[in-house]
Amino acid sequence: PNGSKIAFYSSRSGVYQIWVMNADGSNPVNISQGRETDVSPQWSPDSSKIAWTTFRTGGPNGFYTAIFVANADGSGITNLTGTTSGNQNPSWSPDGTKMTFTSNRTGNSEVFVMNADGTNPIQLTNTNSAFRNMTPVWSPDGNKIAFVTFDLNFVCEVRIMNPDGSSQTLLAGPHNIGSA
């Protein structure tokens, strides 16, 4: 966010990992340093932390996805969502105090919000099993959350809601993303 660094994911170490480099491309540093897949880095608004989606072995089903966060230098790596499966797509609130993400911990892909330290996860959407809610992002003023929903036929809609999940409104769609 301050323009001095770029966060990205790359398989240059043999598996997708989170890297940070200077904005001019110099000094790339692997900050996730794991042996499993890490993708989709998201800077905190103050540039001090990076959150990402990780795919791990272990957990109750032998495999899980989680939201991890670390300081921008790679120190203090923390699993924010535990080993429940299907946690992904982190997005920081503009003030950095909260994070939205998607999870299938209830059996469906739903949008959740939690404190930036991983506490107090709250489910914001509640759809039937024919729909998936994905990629929530905060509006710049923090008053709305936009997200994409699609069904099993890849019919897609863009919706917005208040940060408490109320007033869900269709903005665009339905569009079939599965056709040319």
Side-chain angles (χ1 to χ4, degrees):
N2 69 15
S4 67
K5 303 267 185 190
I6 297 170
F8 63 100
Y9 66 97
S10 171
S11 63
R12 63 178 65 190
S13 62
V15 65
Y16 285 111
Q17 296 289 284
I18 306 302
W19 293 73
V20 173
M21 67 182 171
N22 294 329
D24 66 4
S26 64
N27 195 31
V29 176
N30 180 337
I31 68 158
S32 61
Q33 301 178 15
R35 291 177 298 225
E36 305 201 43
T37 302
D38 299 321
V39 297
S40 304
Q42 300 291 319
W43 286 101
S44 65
D46 66 1
S47 300
S48 67
K49 295 186 179 291
I50 300 172
W52 66 86
T53 300
T54 188
F55 298 85
R56 300 278 183 217
T57 55
N61 298 321
F63 172 81
Y64 68 97
T65 56
I67 308 298
F68 276 35
V69 68
N71 295 321
D73 65 2
S75 65
I77 294 176
T78 304
N79 180 340
L80 296 181
T81 55
T83 59
T84 58
S85 188
N87 300 295
Q88 56 189 346
N89 307 117
S91 175
W92 296 87
S93 63
D95 65 6
T97 63
K98 299 213 179 271
M99 201 178 293
T100 57
F101 65 102
T102 56
S103 178
N104 65 7
R105 62 180 65 191
T106 61
N108 298 326
S109 179
E110 302 291 356
V111 176
F112 286 74
V113 67
M114 66 182 166
N115 294 331
D117 65 1
T119 60
N120 197 32
I122 298 170
Q123 184 176 338
L124 299 181
T125 61
N126 188 14
T127 58
N128 67 44
S129 61
F131 289 90
R132 304 289 183 261
N133 295 307
M134 300 296 294
T135 60
V137 293
W138 293 83
S139 63
D141 63 8
N143 290 327
K144 295 288 182 190
I145 297 169
F147 63 101
V148 174
T149 185
F150 63 91
D151 67 16
L152 299 176
N153 295 314
F154 295 100
V155 175
C156 174
E157 298 175 339
V158 177
R159 296 182 168 271
I160 61 170
M161 65 183 157
N162 294 331
D164 64 1
S166 66
S167 299
Q168 292 184 23
T169 305
L170 175 67
L171 286 185
H175 301 288
N176 189 327
I177 60 175
S179 62

